[in-house]
Structures are given as structure tokens and as C-alpha cells.
Amino acid sequence: MADRVLLESLAPVVEENLVRHVEAAAEWQPHDYVPWDDGRNFVFLGGTDWEPGQSTLSEVSKAALTVSVLIADNLPAYHREVGKYLRTGPWWRWVGRWTAEENRHEILIRNYLMVTRAVDPVALERMRMAHMTKGFRRPAMHLLDVLATVAFEEAAAAVRHRNTAAVADDPIVAAIADRIAADDELQAVFFANLVAAGLDHAPDQAARAIADRIADFQVPSVELADGRTSDEVLAEAGIYDSAREPELVFRPLLERWNFFTRTDFGEVGEKARAELAHLKG
């Protein structure tokens, strides 16, 4: 089925899920999570510049928050790629809502890091500039491939933030990570519901997209100031390990989509299902 036809066919599902998402999402304010009393000026305004002894967070929490703020800050690049496909009606309204939610995450984390002096602000800004300048590019994909990819990415983000909360050595960091994870989970449900609708409209095409996107799935990675990648740091800390993606990301969504029990696949869908047999619960 052509992407244009799918865009039109799935538009009512997008509208329905956008309404559901907005009703289910808790209203919260990023400024509420920032301990503003801890803030003070840097040298530029007559204060004191950052030095390592000012930070009270563990290296694990620092790395997790740095990764989160850099990924969230680069959302204009991520969403530009997605937005190429979703530029009409309820699709475009959803992209706007999703971008606004993710930008709120970036605002919260960056404000927290700056006010508490948890990380070197100069190093963070240099990484942010490099990350944003490089941008983010996806290979050319059809609509169902895009939806499956983002469903997996949001599910992975929720895992990362829940685990960040679990290992956090600071109650505010734990609260921030849990708050963001709740948003990630709602966003994952939105995209998962669209994939489910895609399976109903074009079973073989959707099954092929799911199998292909699992085969090449990789969460956005950030190079940190010490030369390591975020993948390495988060895996070592037990926050996110790609080796556990089958268990924590792929299998729950495949079960949600009844992928292994559907009876509407043709030859293409059955081949895709066979390729994912190792993920069957």
C-alpha cells in the first residue's frame, strides 16, 4: 500500500490517539523540578566558574543526564526526518505535540544540570554544539518503517529513564527520570497503536517493516567528552544495554501487536514472522 494511501487511511487513528494521549498526559512544569536556590552566577556575571568539586552526583547519574539532554536537544534534527513523512492534518499536529513534549524534557534536564553544577557547562555546551551541527540522518524509509522505528525508540527511552531513576543517587534526579519515563511510555503507546493499525490495514507490509527495523535498530548514540560513547557508559551502569533489547523493547511490542498469533499474513508477512521467531515469548 502506498504511503499516501496509508497516511489518509490512518489519519482517523492518529486523531483518536492524539485526543487520548492529551487526555492521559499529566500536566507538569519543568521549573518545579529544579532547585533554584542552589543556583549562582558564573564568572561572566561576577560569580565563580565550574570546577569538579561542585558536583555531588555520581558519574553514572552525570552520564545518564548528559546523554538524555543531548538526545532531547537534538530533537529538531530527529523530528525533521520524521516530519518529512507526516506533514498533514492530525499527523502534523501530533509531530508538534511530540516535539513540544520532548523539548520540555531538554529544558528540565539542562536547567537542573546548570543550577546544580552537576556537570561541566562548557564541556556540555561544546558537546551540544557538535551534536546539533552534525545532526541526525535516517535512511530513506516508508511510513510504516518510520512508525515502527519510533515505537521502538520511545520504548527504549522509557527503559533508559526508568533505570536512571532506579540507580540515581539523588532524589531529584530520580523524580526527573521517572517523570520523563512516564512521557516516554505514553509516546511509545501512541506509536505502537499506529503500528497496530498499520498491521490491520497492510499486514504484510507492516510485518516486513517491523522485521527490518528490528534488524537494524540502534538507539541514538552520543560521544562523550572522555571519548567513550553513551552506549558503553549506559551499558556499564546497567541503565541501557542493547543486549537486552529483545527482552525489554522488542518482545513486549511484538506481544502487544499479537505478531505471532495473527492469521492475516501472506507470504511476505510469514517470512518476516519467521525471521523474528527467536523473539517469540
PDB file of all heavy atoms in Angstrom, residues 55-68 109 113 118-119 160-170 173 177 224 226 228 230 232-240:
ATOM      1  N   SER A  55      30.179  19.348  41.955  1.00  0.00           N
ATOM      2  CA  SER A  55      29.175  18.338  41.609  1.00  0.00           C
ATOM      3  C   SER A  55      29.043  17.296  42.707  1.00  0.00           C
ATOM      4  O   SER A  55      30.040  16.803  43.234  1.00  0.00           O
ATOM      5  CB  SER A  55      29.552  17.635  40.302  1.00  0.00           C
ATOM      6  OG  SER A  55      28.614  16.624  40.001  1.00  0.00           O
ATOM      7  N   THR A  56      27.828  16.978  43.047  1.00  0.00           N
ATOM      8  CA  THR A  56      27.575  15.965  44.080  1.00  0.00           C
ATOM      9  C   THR A  56      26.990  14.686  43.497  1.00  0.00           C
ATOM     10  O   THR A  56      26.705  13.748  44.239  1.00  0.00           O
ATOM     11  CB  THR A  56      26.597  16.517  45.135  1.00  0.00           C
ATOM     12  OG1 THR A  56      25.354  16.846  44.501  1.00  0.00           O
ATOM     13  CG2 THR A  56      27.177  17.751  45.808  1.00  0.00           C
ATOM     14  N   LEU A  57      26.811  14.627  42.176  1.00  0.00           N
ATOM     15  CA  LEU A  57      26.217  13.452  41.559  1.00  0.00           C
ATOM     16  C   LEU A  57      27.258  12.385  41.248  1.00  0.00           C
ATOM     17  O   LEU A  57      28.429  12.691  41.008  1.00  0.00           O
ATOM     18  CB  LEU A  57      25.511  13.828  40.249  1.00  0.00           C
ATOM     19  CG  LEU A  57      24.213  14.613  40.343  1.00  0.00           C
ATOM     20  CD1 LEU A  57      23.592  14.748  38.955  1.00  0.00           C
ATOM     21  CD2 LEU A  57      23.226  13.966  41.296  1.00  0.00           C
ATOM     22  N   SER A  58      26.824  11.153  41.202  1.00  0.00           N
ATOM     23  CA  SER A  58      27.694  10.060  40.788  1.00  0.00           C
ATOM     24  C   SER A  58      27.989  10.175  39.301  1.00  0.00           C
ATOM     25  O   SER A  58      27.271  10.833  38.548  1.00  0.00           O
ATOM     26  CB  SER A  58      27.025   8.714  41.059  1.00  0.00           C
ATOM     27  OG  SER A  58      25.911   8.532  40.197  1.00  0.00           O
ATOM     28  N   GLU A  59      29.056   9.524  38.865  1.00  0.00           N
ATOM     29  CA  GLU A  59      29.409   9.545  37.444  1.00  0.00           C
ATOM     30  C   GLU A  59      28.301   8.917  36.602  1.00  0.00           C
ATOM     31  O   GLU A  59      28.065   9.329  35.467  1.00  0.00           O
ATOM     32  CB  GLU A  59      30.733   8.804  37.226  1.00  0.00           C
ATOM     33  CG  GLU A  59      31.939   9.501  37.848  1.00  0.00           C
ATOM     34  CD  GLU A  59      32.089  10.932  37.350  1.00  0.00           C
ATOM     35  OE1 GLU A  59      32.002  11.162  36.125  1.00  0.00           O
ATOM     36  OE2 GLU A  59      32.302  11.826  38.194  1.00  0.00           O
ATOM     37  N   VAL A  60      27.622   7.920  37.154  1.00  0.00           N
ATOM     38  CA  VAL A  60      26.534   7.268  36.428  1.00  0.00           C
ATOM     39  C   VAL A  60      25.396   8.249  36.159  1.00  0.00           C
ATOM     40  O   VAL A  60      24.896   8.371  35.031  1.00  0.00           O
ATOM     41  CB  VAL A  60      26.009   6.048  37.216  1.00  0.00           C
ATOM     42  CG1 VAL A  60      24.720   5.520  36.591  1.00  0.00           C
ATOM     43  CG2 VAL A  60      27.069   4.951  37.253  1.00  0.00           C
ATOM     44  N   SER A  61      24.978   8.973  37.189  1.00  0.00           N
ATOM     45  CA  SER A  61      23.893   9.942  37.008  1.00  0.00           C
ATOM     46  C   SER A  61      24.300  11.054  36.057  1.00  0.00           C
ATOM     47  O   SER A  61      23.507  11.506  35.223  1.00  0.00           O
ATOM     48  CB  SER A  61      23.478  10.530  38.358  1.00  0.00           C
ATOM     49  OG  SER A  61      22.834   9.560  39.158  1.00  0.00           O
ATOM     50  N   LYS A  62      25.546  11.519  36.160  1.00  0.00           N
ATOM     51  CA  LYS A  62      26.022  12.557  35.249  1.00  0.00           C
ATOM     52  C   LYS A  62      25.945  12.087  33.801  1.00  0.00           C
ATOM     53  O   LYS A  62      25.474  12.813  32.920  1.00  0.00           O
ATOM     54  CB  LYS A  62      27.473  12.925  35.578  1.00  0.00           C
ATOM     55  CG  LYS A  62      27.693  13.636  36.891  1.00  0.00           C
ATOM     56  CD  LYS A  62      29.189  13.896  37.059  1.00  0.00           C
ATOM     57  CE  LYS A  62      29.532  14.316  38.469  1.00  0.00           C
ATOM     58  NZ  LYS A  62      31.002  14.479  38.639  1.00  0.00           N
ATOM     59  N   ALA A  63      26.425  10.875  33.559  1.00  0.00           N
ATOM     60  CA  ALA A  63      26.436  10.354  32.191  1.00  0.00           C
ATOM     61  C   ALA A  63      25.017  10.184  31.663  1.00  0.00           C
ATOM     62  O   ALA A  63      24.719  10.533  30.513  1.00  0.00           O
ATOM     63  CB  ALA A  63      27.183   9.022  32.142  1.00  0.00           C
ATOM     64  N   ALA A  64      24.139   9.648  32.492  1.00  0.00           N
ATOM     65  CA  ALA A  64      22.763   9.405  32.046  1.00  0.00           C
ATOM     66  C   ALA A  64      22.060  10.709  31.698  1.00  0.00           C
ATOM     67  O   ALA A  64      21.371  10.810  30.670  1.00  0.00           O
ATOM     68  CB  ALA A  64      21.990   8.665  33.133  1.00  0.00           C
ATOM     69  N   LEU A  65      22.222  11.731  32.525  1.00  0.00           N
ATOM     70  CA  LEU A  65      21.570  13.014  32.263  1.00  0.00           C
ATOM     71  C   LEU A  65      22.203  13.726  31.071  1.00  0.00           C
ATOM     72  O   LEU A  65      21.507  14.381  30.288  1.00  0.00           O
ATOM     73  CB  LEU A  65      21.634  13.904  33.503  1.00  0.00           C
ATOM     74  CG  LEU A  65      20.788  13.441  34.696  1.00  0.00           C
ATOM     75  CD1 LEU A  65      20.970  14.402  35.869  1.00  0.00           C
ATOM     76  CD2 LEU A  65      19.308  13.337  34.326  1.00  0.00           C
ATOM     77  N   THR A  66      23.509  13.604  30.922  1.00  0.00           N
ATOM     78  CA  THR A  66      24.164  14.210  29.759  1.00  0.00           C
ATOM     79  C   THR A  66      23.649  13.599  28.468  1.00  0.00           C
ATOM     80  O   THR A  66      23.329  14.319  27.511  1.00  0.00           O
ATOM     81  CB  THR A  66      25.695  14.029  29.852  1.00  0.00           C
ATOM     82  OG1 THR A  66      26.178  14.711  31.006  1.00  0.00           O
ATOM     83  CG2 THR A  66      26.387  14.570  28.612  1.00  0.00           C
ATOM     84  N   VAL A  67      23.543  12.282  28.426  1.00  0.00           N
ATOM     85  CA  VAL A  67      23.015  11.605  27.245  1.00  0.00           C
ATOM     86  C   VAL A  67      21.589  12.060  26.963  1.00  0.00           C
ATOM     87  O   VAL A  67      21.227  12.391  25.828  1.00  0.00           O
ATOM     88  CB  VAL A  67      23.070  10.079  27.427  1.00  0.00           C
ATOM     89  CG1 VAL A  67      22.283   9.375  26.323  1.00  0.00           C
ATOM     90  CG2 VAL A  67      24.508   9.602  27.440  1.00  0.00           C
ATOM     91  N   SER A  68      20.771  12.125  27.996  1.00  0.00           N
ATOM     92  CA  SER A  68      19.372  12.497  27.808  1.00  0.00           C
ATOM     93  C   SER A  68      19.228  13.918  27.295  1.00  0.00           C
ATOM     94  O   SER A  68      18.415  14.186  26.405  1.00  0.00           O
ATOM     95  CB  SER A  68      18.600  12.334  29.125  1.00  0.00           C
ATOM     96  OG  SER A  68      18.458  10.974  29.463  1.00  0.00           O
ATOM     97  N   ILE A 109      16.106  19.041  32.065  1.00  0.00           N
ATOM     98  CA  ILE A 109      17.395  18.434  32.408  1.00  0.00           C
ATOM     99  C   ILE A 109      18.514  19.469  32.358  1.00  0.00           C
ATOM    100  O   ILE A 109      19.366  19.537  33.254  1.00  0.00           O
ATOM    101  CB  ILE A 109      17.726  17.252  31.476  1.00  0.00           C
ATOM    102  CG1 ILE A 109      16.645  16.171  31.578  1.00  0.00           C
ATOM    103  CG2 ILE A 109      19.074  16.650  31.842  1.00  0.00           C
ATOM    104  CD1 ILE A 109      16.784  15.081  30.536  1.00  0.00           C
ATOM    105  N   LEU A 113      20.968  20.605  35.411  1.00  0.00           N
ATOM    106  CA  LEU A 113      22.418  20.448  35.356  1.00  0.00           C
ATOM    107  C   LEU A 113      23.140  21.766  35.585  1.00  0.00           C
ATOM    108  O   LEU A 113      24.187  21.816  36.253  1.00  0.00           O
ATOM    109  CB  LEU A 113      22.832  19.860  34.001  1.00  0.00           C
ATOM    110  CG  LEU A 113      22.409  18.412  33.719  1.00  0.00           C
ATOM    111  CD1 LEU A 113      22.792  18.024  32.309  1.00  0.00           C
ATOM    112  CD2 LEU A 113      23.022  17.453  34.729  1.00  0.00           C
ATOM    113  N   ALA A 118      26.070  20.182  38.152  1.00  0.00           N
ATOM    114  CA  ALA A 118      26.325  18.740  38.177  1.00  0.00           C
ATOM    115  C   ALA A 118      27.371  18.317  37.163  1.00  0.00           C
ATOM    116  O   ALA A 118      28.067  17.319  37.357  1.00  0.00           O
ATOM    117  CB  ALA A 118      25.021  17.985  37.918  1.00  0.00           C
ATOM    118  N   VAL A 119      27.489  19.065  36.062  1.00  0.00           N
ATOM    119  CA  VAL A 119      28.470  18.733  35.027  1.00  0.00           C
ATOM    120  C   VAL A 119      29.156  20.023  34.579  1.00  0.00           C
ATOM    121  O   VAL A 119      28.688  21.130  34.857  1.00  0.00           O
ATOM    122  CB  VAL A 119      27.820  18.048  33.811  1.00  0.00           C
ATOM    123  CG1 VAL A 119      27.140  16.750  34.215  1.00  0.00           C
ATOM    124  CG2 VAL A 119      26.825  18.982  33.128  1.00  0.00           C
ATOM    125  N   ARG A 160      15.428   3.353  29.502  1.00  0.00           N
ATOM    126  CA  ARG A 160      16.610   4.099  29.936  1.00  0.00           C
ATOM    127  C   ARG A 160      16.297   5.024  31.106  1.00  0.00           C
ATOM    128  O   ARG A 160      17.044   5.086  32.091  1.00  0.00           O
ATOM    129  CB  ARG A 160      17.166   4.901  28.758  1.00  0.00           C
ATOM    130  CG  ARG A 160      18.503   5.576  29.059  1.00  0.00           C
ATOM    131  CD  ARG A 160      19.091   6.261  27.833  1.00  0.00           C
ATOM    132  NE  ARG A 160      18.385   7.483  27.476  1.00  0.00           N
ATOM    133  CZ  ARG A 160      17.656   7.639  26.379  1.00  0.00           C
ATOM    134  NH1 ARG A 160      17.504   6.633  25.518  1.00  0.00           N
ATOM    135  NH2 ARG A 160      17.066   8.804  26.126  1.00  0.00           N
ATOM    136  N   HIS A 161      15.183   5.719  31.028  1.00  0.00           N
ATOM    137  CA  HIS A 161      14.860   6.675  32.092  1.00  0.00           C
ATOM    138  C   HIS A 161      14.382   5.983  33.373  1.00  0.00           C
ATOM    139  O   HIS A 161      14.695   6.441  34.475  1.00  0.00           O
ATOM    140  CB  HIS A 161      13.832   7.684  31.591  1.00  0.00           C
ATOM    141  CG  HIS A 161      14.427   8.694  30.647  1.00  0.00           C
ATOM    142  ND1 HIS A 161      13.967   8.880  29.362  1.00  0.00           N
ATOM    143  CD2 HIS A 161      15.472   9.547  30.804  1.00  0.00           C
ATOM    144  CE1 HIS A 161      14.695   9.817  28.771  1.00  0.00           C
ATOM    145  NE2 HIS A 161      15.610  10.224  29.618  1.00  0.00           N
ATOM    146  N   ARG A 162      13.632   4.895  33.243  1.00  0.00           N
ATOM    147  CA  ARG A 162      13.237   4.154  34.453  1.00  0.00           C
ATOM    148  C   ARG A 162      14.471   3.619  35.175  1.00  0.00           C
ATOM    149  O   ARG A 162      14.553   3.660  36.415  1.00  0.00           O
ATOM    150  CB  ARG A 162      12.290   3.007  34.095  1.00  0.00           C
ATOM    151  CG  ARG A 162      10.905   3.412  33.673  1.00  0.00           C
ATOM    152  CD  ARG A 162      10.125   4.086  34.793  1.00  0.00           C
ATOM    153  NE  ARG A 162       8.758   4.386  34.377  1.00  0.00           N
ATOM    154  CZ  ARG A 162       7.968   5.263  34.967  1.00  0.00           C
ATOM    155  NH1 ARG A 162       8.413   5.939  36.019  1.00  0.00           N
ATOM    156  NH2 ARG A 162       6.743   5.491  34.533  1.00  0.00           N
ATOM    157  N   ASN A 163      15.426   3.119  34.420  1.00  0.00           N
ATOM    158  CA  ASN A 163      16.636   2.591  35.045  1.00  0.00           C
ATOM    159  C   ASN A 163      17.504   3.702  35.621  1.00  0.00           C
ATOM    160  O   ASN A 163      18.170   3.516  36.645  1.00  0.00           O
ATOM    161  CB  ASN A 163      17.432   1.759  34.041  1.00  0.00           C
ATOM    162  CG  ASN A 163      16.789   0.417  33.751  1.00  0.00           C
ATOM    163  OD1 ASN A 163      15.992  -0.076  34.550  1.00  0.00           O
ATOM    164  ND2 ASN A 163      17.119  -0.175  32.625  1.00  0.00           N
ATOM    165  N   THR A 164      17.502   4.859  34.970  1.00  0.00           N
ATOM    166  CA  THR A 164      18.217   6.003  35.534  1.00  0.00           C
ATOM    167  C   THR A 164      17.640   6.360  36.896  1.00  0.00           C
ATOM    168  O   THR A 164      18.372   6.635  37.857  1.00  0.00           O
ATOM    169  CB  THR A 164      18.121   7.220  34.591  1.00  0.00           C
ATOM    170  OG1 THR A 164      18.759   6.907  33.345  1.00  0.00           O
ATOM    171  CG2 THR A 164      18.783   8.450  35.207  1.00  0.00           C
ATOM    172  N   ALA A 165      16.306   6.371  36.988  1.00  0.00           N
ATOM    173  CA  ALA A 165      15.656   6.662  38.268  1.00  0.00           C
ATOM    174  C   ALA A 165      16.025   5.625  39.326  1.00  0.00           C
ATOM    175  O   ALA A 165      16.243   5.964  40.497  1.00  0.00           O
ATOM    176  CB  ALA A 165      14.142   6.708  38.080  1.00  0.00           C
ATOM    177  N   ALA A 166      16.114   4.375  38.914  1.00  0.00           N
ATOM    178  CA  ALA A 166      16.382   3.296  39.873  1.00  0.00           C
ATOM    179  C   ALA A 166      17.782   3.373  40.462  1.00  0.00           C
ATOM    180  O   ALA A 166      17.991   3.004  41.627  1.00  0.00           O
ATOM    181  CB  ALA A 166      16.178   1.940  39.199  1.00  0.00           C
ATOM    182  N   VAL A 167      18.758   3.857  39.678  1.00  0.00           N
ATOM    183  CA  VAL A 167      20.141   3.887  40.182  1.00  0.00           C
ATOM    184  C   VAL A 167      20.555   5.280  40.647  1.00  0.00           C
ATOM    185  O   VAL A 167      21.676   5.456  41.130  1.00  0.00           O
ATOM    186  CB  VAL A 167      21.134   3.397  39.097  1.00  0.00           C
ATOM    187  CG1 VAL A 167      20.773   2.004  38.622  1.00  0.00           C
ATOM    188  CG2 VAL A 167      21.216   4.370  37.929  1.00  0.00           C
ATOM    189  N   ALA A 168      19.679   6.253  40.524  1.00  0.00           N
ATOM    190  CA  ALA A 168      20.038   7.635  40.866  1.00  0.00           C
ATOM    191  C   ALA A 168      20.422   7.762  42.332  1.00  0.00           C
ATOM    192  O   ALA A 168      19.789   7.171  43.211  1.00  0.00           O
ATOM    193  CB  ALA A 168      18.885   8.572  40.541  1.00  0.00           C
ATOM    194  N   ASP A 169      21.457   8.557  42.578  1.00  0.00           N
ATOM    195  CA  ASP A 169      21.906   8.803  43.943  1.00  0.00           C
ATOM    196  C   ASP A 169      21.328  10.093  44.500  1.00  0.00           C
ATOM    197  O   ASP A 169      21.701  10.519  45.586  1.00  0.00           O
ATOM    198  CB  ASP A 169      23.426   8.860  43.987  1.00  0.00           C
ATOM    199  CG  ASP A 169      23.997   9.863  42.987  1.00  0.00           C
ATOM    200  OD1 ASP A 169      23.383  10.045  41.924  1.00  0.00           O
ATOM    201  OD2 ASP A 169      25.062  10.458  43.262  1.00  0.00           O
ATOM    202  N   ASP A 170      20.419  10.697  43.773  1.00  0.00           N
ATOM    203  CA  ASP A 170      19.810  11.958  44.185  1.00  0.00           C
ATOM    204  C   ASP A 170      18.308  11.859  43.967  1.00  0.00           C
ATOM    205  O   ASP A 170      17.859  11.463  42.891  1.00  0.00           O
ATOM    206  CB  ASP A 170      20.394  13.104  43.352  1.00  0.00           C
ATOM    207  CG  ASP A 170      19.830  14.451  43.743  1.00  0.00           C
ATOM    208  OD1 ASP A 170      18.686  14.738  43.346  1.00  0.00           O
ATOM    209  OD2 ASP A 170      20.532  15.214  44.430  1.00  0.00           O
ATOM    210  N   VAL A 173      16.990  13.773  40.869  1.00  0.00           N
ATOM    211  CA  VAL A 173      17.314  13.093  39.609  1.00  0.00           C
ATOM    212  C   VAL A 173      16.362  11.927  39.385  1.00  0.00           C
ATOM    213  O   VAL A 173      15.872  11.710  38.270  1.00  0.00           O
ATOM    214  CB  VAL A 173      18.776  12.614  39.611  1.00  0.00           C
ATOM    215  CG1 VAL A 173      19.053  11.728  38.402  1.00  0.00           C
ATOM    216  CG2 VAL A 173      19.718  13.805  39.621  1.00  0.00           C
ATOM    217  N   ALA A 177      13.856  11.623  36.190  1.00  0.00           N
ATOM    218  CA  ALA A 177      13.902  10.467  35.286  1.00  0.00           C
ATOM    219  C   ALA A 177      12.565   9.744  35.237  1.00  0.00           C
ATOM    220  O   ALA A 177      12.105   9.327  34.162  1.00  0.00           O
ATOM    221  CB  ALA A 177      15.014   9.517  35.718  1.00  0.00           C
ATOM    222  N   LEU A 224      30.859  11.128  24.285  1.00  0.00           N
ATOM    223  CA  LEU A 224      31.062  11.935  25.483  1.00  0.00           C
ATOM    224  C   LEU A 224      32.452  12.571  25.492  1.00  0.00           C
ATOM    225  O   LEU A 224      33.311  12.244  24.661  1.00  0.00           O
ATOM    226  CB  LEU A 224      30.860  11.067  26.726  1.00  0.00           C
ATOM    227  CG  LEU A 224      29.477  10.398  26.819  1.00  0.00           C
ATOM    228  CD1 LEU A 224      29.417   9.475  28.023  1.00  0.00           C
ATOM    229  CD2 LEU A 224      28.375  11.448  26.871  1.00  0.00           C
ATOM    230  N   ASP A 226      34.980  12.245  27.324  1.00  0.00           N
ATOM    231  CA  ASP A 226      36.144  11.393  27.583  1.00  0.00           C
ATOM    232  C   ASP A 226      36.425  10.419  26.443  1.00  0.00           C
ATOM    233  O   ASP A 226      37.284   9.547  26.558  1.00  0.00           O
ATOM    234  CB  ASP A 226      35.968  10.633  28.899  1.00  0.00           C
ATOM    235  CG  ASP A 226      34.761   9.690  28.879  1.00  0.00           C
ATOM    236  OD1 ASP A 226      34.118   9.560  27.824  1.00  0.00           O
ATOM    237  OD2 ASP A 226      34.464   9.097  29.934  1.00  0.00           O
ATOM    238  N   ARG A 228      34.425   8.121  25.214  1.00  0.00           N
ATOM    239  CA  ARG A 228      33.541   6.956  25.210  1.00  0.00           C
ATOM    240  C   ARG A 228      32.203   7.318  24.581  1.00  0.00           C
ATOM    241  O   ARG A 228      31.855   8.489  24.461  1.00  0.00           O
ATOM    242  CB  ARG A 228      33.328   6.445  26.635  1.00  0.00           C
ATOM    243  CG  ARG A 228      34.557   5.851  27.284  1.00  0.00           C
ATOM    244  CD  ARG A 228      34.241   5.329  28.675  1.00  0.00           C
ATOM    245  NE  ARG A 228      33.801   6.386  29.567  1.00  0.00           N
ATOM    246  CZ  ARG A 228      33.265   6.171  30.781  1.00  0.00           C
ATOM    247  NH1 ARG A 228      33.096   4.938  31.211  1.00  0.00           N
ATOM    248  NH2 ARG A 228      32.909   7.191  31.532  1.00  0.00           N
ATOM    249  N   SER A 230      27.944   6.948  24.581  1.00  0.00           N
ATOM    250  CA  SER A 230      26.877   6.767  25.562  1.00  0.00           C
ATOM    251  C   SER A 230      26.458   5.313  25.656  1.00  0.00           C
ATOM    252  O   SER A 230      26.066   4.845  26.739  1.00  0.00           O
ATOM    253  CB  SER A 230      25.679   7.642  25.189  1.00  0.00           C
ATOM    254  OG  SER A 230      25.222   7.344  23.881  1.00  0.00           O
ATOM    255  N   GLU A 232      28.339   2.668  25.586  1.00  0.00           N
ATOM    256  CA  GLU A 232      29.259   1.985  26.501  1.00  0.00           C
ATOM    257  C   GLU A 232      28.981   2.357  27.945  1.00  0.00           C
ATOM    258  O   GLU A 232      28.901   1.488  28.828  1.00  0.00           O
ATOM    259  CB  GLU A 232      30.705   2.357  26.147  1.00  0.00           C
ATOM    260  CG  GLU A 232      31.160   1.911  24.780  1.00  0.00           C
ATOM    261  CD  GLU A 232      32.511   2.501  24.403  1.00  0.00           C
ATOM    262  OE1 GLU A 232      32.698   3.722  24.562  1.00  0.00           O
ATOM    263  OE2 GLU A 232      33.378   1.722  23.953  1.00  0.00           O
ATOM    264  N   VAL A 233      28.816   3.645  28.197  1.00  0.00           N
ATOM    265  CA  VAL A 233      28.639   4.124  29.567  1.00  0.00           C
ATOM    266  C   VAL A 233      27.342   3.612  30.162  1.00  0.00           C
ATOM    267  O   VAL A 233      27.301   3.132  31.313  1.00  0.00           O
ATOM    268  CB  VAL A 233      28.673   5.662  29.602  1.00  0.00           C
ATOM    269  CG1 VAL A 233      28.313   6.183  30.982  1.00  0.00           C
ATOM    270  CG2 VAL A 233      30.048   6.174  29.191  1.00  0.00           C
ATOM    271  N   LEU A 234      26.256   3.686  29.412  1.00  0.00           N
ATOM    272  CA  LEU A 234      24.955   3.275  29.941  1.00  0.00           C
ATOM    273  C   LEU A 234      24.878   1.764  30.133  1.00  0.00           C
ATOM    274  O   LEU A 234      24.228   1.291  31.068  1.00  0.00           O
ATOM    275  CB  LEU A 234      23.839   3.759  29.024  1.00  0.00           C
ATOM    276  CG  LEU A 234      23.720   5.278  28.872  1.00  0.00           C
ATOM    277  CD1 LEU A 234      22.495   5.644  28.037  1.00  0.00           C
ATOM    278  CD2 LEU A 234      23.660   5.967  30.224  1.00  0.00           C
ATOM    279  N   ALA A 235      25.543   1.014  29.275  1.00  0.00           N
ATOM    280  CA  ALA A 235      25.557  -0.441  29.450  1.00  0.00           C
ATOM    281  C   ALA A 235      26.328  -0.820  30.707  1.00  0.00           C
ATOM    282  O   ALA A 235      25.878  -1.666  31.497  1.00  0.00           O
ATOM    283  CB  ALA A 235      26.169  -1.110  28.217  1.00  0.00           C
ATOM    284  N   GLU A 236      27.479  -0.187  30.906  1.00  0.00           N
ATOM    285  CA  GLU A 236      28.284  -0.481  32.094  1.00  0.00           C
ATOM    286  C   GLU A 236      27.529  -0.147  33.371  1.00  0.00           C
ATOM    287  O   GLU A 236      27.681  -0.827  34.389  1.00  0.00           O
ATOM    288  CB  GLU A 236      29.583   0.338  32.047  1.00  0.00           C
ATOM    289  CG  GLU A 236      30.567  -0.124  30.986  1.00  0.00           C
ATOM    290  CD  GLU A 236      31.754   0.822  30.857  1.00  0.00           C
ATOM    291  OE1 GLU A 236      31.842   1.770  31.673  1.00  0.00           O
ATOM    292  OE2 GLU A 236      32.576   0.622  29.945  1.00  0.00           O
ATOM    293  N   ALA A 237      26.707   0.894  33.322  1.00  0.00           N
ATOM    294  CA  ALA A 237      25.979   1.327  34.513  1.00  0.00           C
ATOM    295  C   ALA A 237      24.687   0.546  34.734  1.00  0.00           C
ATOM    296  O   ALA A 237      24.024   0.727  35.761  1.00  0.00           O
ATOM    297  CB  ALA A 237      25.652   2.817  34.398  1.00  0.00           C
ATOM    298  N   GLY A 238      24.330  -0.322  33.809  1.00  0.00           N
ATOM    299  CA  GLY A 238      23.087  -1.075  33.944  1.00  0.00           C
ATOM    300  C   GLY A 238      21.849  -0.251  33.622  1.00  0.00           C
ATOM    301  O   GLY A 238      20.730  -0.639  33.979  1.00  0.00           O
ATOM    302  N   ILE A 239      22.045   0.862  32.932  1.00  0.00           N
ATOM    303  CA  ILE A 239      20.912   1.728  32.596  1.00  0.00           C
ATOM    304  C   ILE A 239      20.282   1.324  31.264  1.00  0.00           C
ATOM    305  O   ILE A 239      19.059   1.260  31.135  1.00  0.00           O
ATOM    306  CB  ILE A 239      21.367   3.203  32.556  1.00  0.00           C
ATOM    307  CG1 ILE A 239      21.676   3.662  33.981  1.00  0.00           C
ATOM    308  CG2 ILE A 239      20.307   4.100  31.923  1.00  0.00           C
ATOM    309  CD1 ILE A 239      22.240   5.071  34.064  1.00  0.00           C
ATOM    310  N   TYR A 240      21.116   1.059  30.273  1.00  0.00           N
ATOM    311  CA  TYR A 240      20.590   0.581  28.992  1.00  0.00           C
ATOM    312  C   TYR A 240      21.650  -0.237  28.284  1.00  0.00           C
ATOM    313  O   TYR A 240      22.730   0.260  27.979  1.00  0.00           O
ATOM    314  CB  TYR A 240      20.145   1.734  28.093  1.00  0.00           C
ATOM    315  CG  TYR A 240      19.389   1.226  26.873  1.00  0.00           C
ATOM    316  CD1 TYR A 240      18.023   1.004  26.954  1.00  0.00           C
ATOM    317  CD2 TYR A 240      20.046   0.921  25.686  1.00  0.00           C
ATOM    318  CE1 TYR A 240      17.319   0.499  25.858  1.00  0.00           C
ATOM    319  CE2 TYR A 240      19.361   0.415  24.602  1.00  0.00           C
ATOM    320  CZ  TYR A 240      17.997   0.210  24.691  1.00  0.00           C
ATOM    321  OH  TYR A 240      17.305  -0.306  23.616  1.00  0.00           O
TER     322      TYR A 240
END
